[in-house]
Amino acid sequence: MQLSLTPVWTSRVQDHAMALDLPTDRIVRLRISAGDEFAPDYSYAIANDSWLGTDVEKEEGEDVTVLKTESLAIEVGTEPFRLRIADQDGHVRFETTDDGIEFTKEGICFIRSIGNAERIYGMGEQGETLDKIGHSFRFWNSDHSHHVPNRRQYCEIPFSIHMTPDGVPPTALFLDNPGEVNYDLGSNDPSVMRMTARTGDFVLWILFEDSIKELLSSWARMTGHMERPPVWSLGFQQCRWSYFPDKRVREIAEEFRTRRIPCDVIYLDIDYMRGYRVFTWHSKRFPDPDKLLRDLRDQGFRVVTIVDPGVKIDEKYEVFQELSKAGEAFIKREKDGEYLVDRVWPGKCHFPDFTNPEVRLLWGEYQNRELLERGVAGVWNDMNEPALFDHQDFAHPASQHDFGLNRRHEEIHQIYGLTMAQASYEGFLKARPQERPLIITRSGWAGIQRYSMMWTGDNHSTWQSMAFCLQLNLSMAMAGVPFVGCDIGGFGGDCEAELFARWMEWGVFQPFCRVHSCRGTRDQEPWSFGGSVERIARQMIELRMRLLPYLYACFVHAAETGQPINRPLVCEYPNDAAVHRLGDQFLVGPDILVAPVLFPGHDRRLVYLPPGVWYHFWSDQRLEGGRWEIFEAPLSQPPVFVRAGAVIPMHPVRQHTGEPEPRETYLDVYPGTQLRGGLVEDDGLTQAWRNGIESRITFTGWQDDLELRLYLSEPDGEYRSARDRWTVRLHTEHRSVASVTCNGVKVPFERDGSVVTWSMDEERAAIEVSVAFQR
Ligand code: MIG
């Protein structure tokens, strides 16, 4: 979008223009022009141009200007260039070196001092570790995965969170340049971070907040929040390259139901198309897609189809004809204006220019006519880096519409996937304005979360790849994309039984929970590895279905605040140095901790439990945190823990989310000094929640030596769930209960092992529970 910021300071360094903006009291933007003057002020990342602004006091000195706002003191000097920003507590939050800009052949290079023991998070699909300090990266979306196992570069996001362990609040940086960008995060000189933009203006946003979580909220306000997703997208999903013909798809569906393994979604990969022509159906393999989709829907399955950007050059093919007629529809060669050609699955193709609004419109219409109107539930955008067969990148300099700016493709390369997802998203909302879009994409850039969720592309069926995926999910979340997940079981290569089981064990805790595998590899359905693995897979998927109310609340929270669903521990425990580089265990929402087993043959693993009390999920054993401990983890019991004080809403198992809403909701209470939890309910499918057709209930309470109190708030909102009963399960091994009263009335309870259970009627009013412990 075009931005309307007015600089509070301008200057020139050598032949380049410079400007500082203060979009809010806590955001600074610095621009340095590549040429004499600034390019028009457009951003593909920013989605919200209503800035609060701030009062500024300006002191202009000889070679340093000081700008003061309520929260920040900004010192900027031009000869040589330096920038230093301190907060109201006097902490230096951002500082360049004494000569902070170099104009080089590689572009504009900006040099910032790295803090003492600094940690760097975020950046999406970049790097092998959660903390990126000491690495260097090129940001250039591409399909590298086949060559380098621990590299994934479909969606790189130049948004990074910088934290030092000295208690100074973290700061975030966003280099708003959609061309090639290079970061050196102290790999050559540990004291400096160099950020280079090869083309275009250097536009750096600097965010100042008090915590990582607030930085992520601020980032979501700037670039857009993810949508509240359709509830079926939280269900289990099965994919493979490819299920065809239609008969095979029906068999897979049937297997899930007869084996009683819950499943919500089946995917159609590229073989459903006629010769890989986008928006067509293969007439022999899928002679009647409408009927197939209807029948599957009757069994409770949604179908998501893949869509690739390359449009086959074929005069007899309608999509090609019509887009060709539209003019400016495809990416053009700069030198002669001819449409660029490269090969992908359909053969020789042109590549739609999704920065052109008319192309997005047409694309959306085809998507709706050929897919959504036939009953397809969601759209899976692949190959949109874009990936090409003949070349790594387009063979010729090319140009795009680009807000009418007509920049070269290379200057906006990073947003190809973003704009394809935008086309898909806008199209979806046109076809079904009352529903919630489900768009999946492989490539993306800053802001992708407002259109689409991400899966992390082609991983491998190896232990190493599995461990790597975990970290990727966290790095995506720390770059503002909460709805993310990897192909469970691994895409490339043959999976083996133990790996599949271990992958399922934590894969079900990902926001996106899908099994997928490459063509030519062995079967990879939950039942493909024998009875015992099938039992584990079923049990884990069932656990996910039970946890749906908890997960859904996490998704809604993510949509409203930008908070991750799978969180690195540092999000919640920033002051605990033990978690600063911890990327092989994660939190699901604030209360569940998962520590996957990542090596073959291991039946235990070392886990770090953050300070506080935790409960072992399978045994209810109460544990003191703030330490490392080795836990037994036989197959089927991955280390999972619940934070003391958590109230986790759960449902009975259903085979898919379209089964009738349960009449009963469980509240799993893990006693702690303060209780907390929440439930958000709505129809799961439509936009009606925007008009208040939802229901929110919060759980609070406390516990002392004698008593535990639990409060359920009165439901807020108009939605009425099917619930007529709550069943509370109090996980307390070490305390015996004397009595339970609900709103002053004694209720019967039972103890089974470590769990004390009782039920309460749903009255659509507040409930106050008191549990008296035996002295
Ligand atoms: O060139 O559509 O990442 O999930 O199965 C490979 C076939 C193209 C790459 C995707 C993968 C998908 C595959 N695609």
Side-chain angles (χ1 to χ4, degrees):
M1 75 187 318
Q2 186 166 19
L3 303 186
S4 60
L5 291 164
T6 325
V8 293
W9 172 87
T10 57
S11 181
R12 297 192 75 82
V13 177
Q14 300 174 28
D15 297 327
H16 304 265
M18 293 192 67
L20 276 176
D21 310 292
L22 286 166
T24 78
D25 191 30
R26 286 160 174 255
I27 301 177
V28 175
R29 186 177 73 148
L30 169 74
R31 284 191 295 160
I32 305 163
S33 69
D36 289 355
E37 294 304 329
F38 291 120
D41 197 4
Y42 283 85
S43 171
Y44 282 96
I46 307 299
N48 181 355
D49 187 43
S50 50
W51 308 101
L52 293 172
T54 181
D55 293 335
V56 198
E57 253 177 61
K58 198 156 147 186
E59 291 163 29
E60 284 190 69
E62 188 89 327
D63 35 49
V64 178
T65 303
V66 180
L67 301 158
K68 279 197 177 136
T69 74
E70 208 180 315
S71 332
L72 302 173
I74 304 161
E75 276 177 46
V76 57
T78 43
E79 277 174 38
F81 172 80
R82 61 199 185 280
L83 177 66
R84 185 170 189 270
I85 306 177
D87 62 20
Q88 72 266 48
D89 300 322
H91 295 308
V92 176
R93 300 278 292 272
F94 181 91
E95 195 173 19
T96 64
T97 55
D98 283 341
D99 198 353
I101 302 178
E102 287 170 11
F103 297 97
T104 71
K105 280 207 304 293
E106 278 72 48
I108 301 176
C109 175
F110 188 87
I111 311 156
R112 162 188 170 262
S113 308
I114 288 179
N116 189 20
E118 181 169 315
R119 309 289 173 214
I120 306 178
Y121 307 111
M123 288 184 256
E125 290 173 331
Q126 200 60 291
E128 280 186 62
T129 48
L130 176 69
D131 169 17
K132 321 285 181 191
I133 194 78
H135 292 261
S136 63
F137 301 123
R138 175 181 187 226
F139 289 74
W140 188 258
N141 288 339
S142 54
D143 182 12
H144 272 307
S145 55
H146 291 300
H147 323 293
V148 192
N150 278 8
R151 186 135 151 225
R152 217 58 57 67
Q153 288 193 283
Y154 306 112
C155 180
E156 303 152 335
I157 302 176
F159 173 83
S160 49
I161 295 176
H162 301 255
M163 193 183 84
T164 49
D166 50 12
V168 176
T171 303
L173 302 178
F174 169 48
L175 179 45
D176 193 355
N177 181 309
E180 179 182 341
V181 161
N182 285 280
Y183 276 15
D184 178 334
L185 305 166
S187 83
N188 284 310
D189 173 352
S191 70
V192 298
M193 163 174 178
R194 300 169 74 93
M195 319 165 82
T196 313
R198 179 180 281 277
T199 54
D201 292 353
F202 185 93
V203 181
L204 183 67
W205 297 74
I206 313 170
L207 280 62
F208 302 91
E209 294 289 346
D210 294 335
S211 66
I212 292 176
K213 287 169 133 186
E214 286 169 71
L215 286 168
L216 288 169
S217 290
S218 174
W219 179 235
R221 282 194 298 276
M222 286 166 64
T223 58
H225 292 88
M226 70 173 258
E227 292 271 342
R228 191 179 289 197
V231 67
W232 52 263
S233 67
L234 275 68
F236 177 72
Q237 320 196 14
Q238 180 69 39
C239 188
R240 119 153 252 122
W241 176 11
S242 298
Y243 292 129
F244 73 87
D246 53 355
K247 191 168 136 278
R248 178 74 184 136
V249 183
R250 289 175 191 274
E251 276 167 19
I252 293 291
E254 203 51 51
E255 287 289 335
F256 273 101
R257 294 298 180 247
T258 50
R259 291 173 188 270
R260 310 271 311 153
I261 298 173
C263 182
D264 268 81
V265 189
I266 297 180
Y267 281 71
L268 299 183
D269 204 327
I270 48 177
D271 298 290
Y272 77 89
M273 293 181 263
R274 177 169 61 85
Y276 305 126
R277 286 169 186 80
V278 62
F279 305 130
T280 65
W281 291 83
H282 193 289
S283 59
K284 289 220 180 68
R285 295 172 182 167
F286 293 91
D288 192 349
D290 303 48
K291 176 156 177 15
L292 172 71
L293 297 176
R294 234 178 7 251
D295 292 348
L296 290 169
R297 211 26 219 291
D298 290 343
Q299 290 174 282
F301 290 98
R302 316 260 166 174
V303 171
V304 173
T305 50
I306 200 166
V307 168
D308 287 357
V311 173
K312 187 178 176 73
I313 302 174
D314 170 1
E315 299 296 341
K316 292 199 215 88
Y317 162 44
E318 193 192 318
V319 179
F320 173 77
Q321 287 168 354
E322 213 176 305
L323 277 166
S324 309
K325 269 190 292 184
E328 315 276 292
F330 300 112
I331 296 189
K332 290 179 304 189
R333 257 196 339 213
E334 200 181 40
K335 66 169 186 227
D336 53 11
E338 294 289 311
Y339 290 144
L340 223 127
V341 181
D342 212 296
R343 263 181 341 107
V344 254
W345 290 106
K348 285 195 171 153
C349 285
H350 292 325
F351 296 85
D353 180 359
F354 295 108
T355 64
N356 179 347
E358 280 171 50
V359 173
R360 293 202 297 272
L361 200 73
L362 271 176
W363 194 260
E365 280 169 11
Y366 274 110
Q367 164 184 300
N368 298 344
R369 182 167 355 136
E370 291 306 323
L371 302 176
L372 302 190
E373 277 170 31
R374 294 184 187 281
V376 168
V379 178
W380 170 24
N381 291 302
D382 187 23
M383 303 289 277
N384 51 357
E385 295 72 30
L388 310 171
F389 285 2
D390 289 339
H391 305 95
Q392 182 65 49
D393 296 308
F394 287 136
H396 303 276
S399 64
Q400 292 196 239
H401 170 80
D402 180 33
F403 299 119
L405 306 176
N406 290 303
R407 274 179 289 182
R408 279 187 169 181
H409 170 79
E410 62 168 350
E411 292 184 53
I412 57 167
H413 171 81
Q414 297 296 76
I415 56 83
Y416 195 74
L418 179 86
T419 49
M420 183 185 184
Q422 182 184 2
S424 186
Y425 168 85
E426 290 169 348
F428 190 107
L429 280 180
K430 243 191 164 153
R432 302 186 189 157
Q434 301 310 324
E435 283 182 38
R436 307 182 196 174
L438 195 272
I439 312 294
I440 301 165
T441 183
R442 190 169 75 176
S443 185
W445 195 62
I448 186 64
Q449 73 281 352
R450 65 180 182 260
Y451 305 126
S452 178
M453 55 139 303
M454 298 276 324
W455 105 103
T456 52
D458 296 352
N459 55 7
H460 299 259
S461 298
T462 64
W463 293 87
Q464 198 196 12
S465 181
M466 175 171 77
F468 172 55
C469 286
L470 209 106
Q471 176 279 118
L472 273 183
N473 286 348
L474 302 180
S475 292
M476 289 297 301
M478 293 289 260
V481 189
F483 195 177
V484 55
C486 68
D487 289 340
I488 297 174
F491 175 76
D494 289 335
C495 197
E496 42 110 347
E498 188 182 336
L499 176 60
F500 187 79
R502 287 306 196 189
W503 211 319
M504 283 302 293
E505 284 179 358
W506 70 270
V508 298
F509 291 100
Q510 299 185 103
F512 180 56
C513 180
R514 183 183 81 162
V515 169
H516 182 37
S517 55
C518 187
R519 70 172 176 185
T521 62
R522 61 160 298 172
D523 285 351
Q524 200 167 298
E525 289 81 37
W527 52 85
S528 308
F529 302 92
S532 62
V533 173
E534 179 180 343
R535 270 191 299 282
I536 294 170
R538 181 186 301 103
Q539 181 207 319
M540 294 312 300
I541 297 171
E542 285 181 351
L543 174 58
R544 182 172 175 98
M545 294 305 279
R546 285 160 55 201
L547 280 170
L548 266 185
Y550 175 78
L551 286 174
Y552 193 66
C554 294
F555 273 74
V556 171
H557 189 65
E560 289 172 350
T561 68
Q563 295 315 309
I565 299 164
N566 281 182
R567 308 183 179 168
L569 274 62
V570 68
C571 258
E572 297 288 334
Y573 302 91
N575 299 325
D576 184 352
V579 305
H580 289 177
R581 288 175 66 88
L582 204 59
D584 69 347
Q585 49 184 79
F586 60 94
L587 294 159
V588 185
D591 293 328
I592 296 179
L593 190 155
V594 180
V597 175
L598 300 171
F599 296 95
H602 285 205
D603 60 2
R604 64 204 66 199
R605 81 156 263 182
L606 185 60
V607 178
Y608 182 73
L609 291 179
V613 175
W614 295 84
Y615 290 84
H616 188 269
F617 183 76
W618 308 104
S619 70
D620 280 338
Q621 193 193 350
R622 195 170 175 279
L623 303 155
E624 281 298 331
R627 64 205 174 91
W628 294 91
E629 191 173 332
I630 293 173
F631 287 94
E632 301 289 317
L635 270 172
S636 86
Q637 296 204 346
V640 175
F641 306 86
V642 184
R643 200 184 53 81
V647 180
I648 312 266
M650 295 212 212
H651 270 165
V653 173
R654 287 175 294 166
Q655 295 305 302
H656 58 90
T657 59
E659 283 189 355
E661 244 185 10
R663 317 269 310 250
E664 180 169 30
T665 300
Y666 301 102
L667 290 182
D668 283 79
V669 178
Y670 293 85
T673 8
Q674 296 290 323
L675 301 186
R676 83 168 174 213
L679 184 61
V680 185
E681 294 171 296
D682 57 31
D683 64 27
L685 299 172
T686 76
Q687 305 281 358
W689 63 271
R690 292 185 195 272
N691 303 319
I693 317 297
E694 60 166 9
S695 161
R696 291 182 189 237
I697 301 176
T698 53
F699 313 121
T700 51
W702 48 262
Q703 179 197 233
D704 62 21
D705 286 348
L706 304 174
E707 192 187 358
L708 176 140
R709 280 285 177 89
L710 169 66
Y711 303 98
L712 282 65
S713 70
E714 187 184 335
D716 184 14
E718 306 285 305
Y719 182 75
R720 290 199 150 220
S721 72
R723 175 177 42 258
D724 50 31
R725 195 159 85 129
W726 299 96
T727 294
V728 183
R729 299 188 288 216
L730 183 66
H731 296 257
T732 180
E733 191 187 34
H734 61 294
R735 296 203 128 166
S736 45
V737 167
S739 70
V740 177
T741 52
C742 297
N743 290 341
V745 180
K746 274 209 165 144
V747 295
F749 62 90
E750 275 168 30
R751 180 182 275 279
D752 182 7
S754 54
V755 184
V756 177
T757 306
W758 67 90
S759 290
M760 325 186 287
D761 289 341
E762 166 67 277
E763 310 271 4
R764 300 184 204 286
I767 304 182
E768 181 183 329
V769 186
S770 162
V771 178
F773 296 116
Q774 219 108 50
R775 297 204 118 197

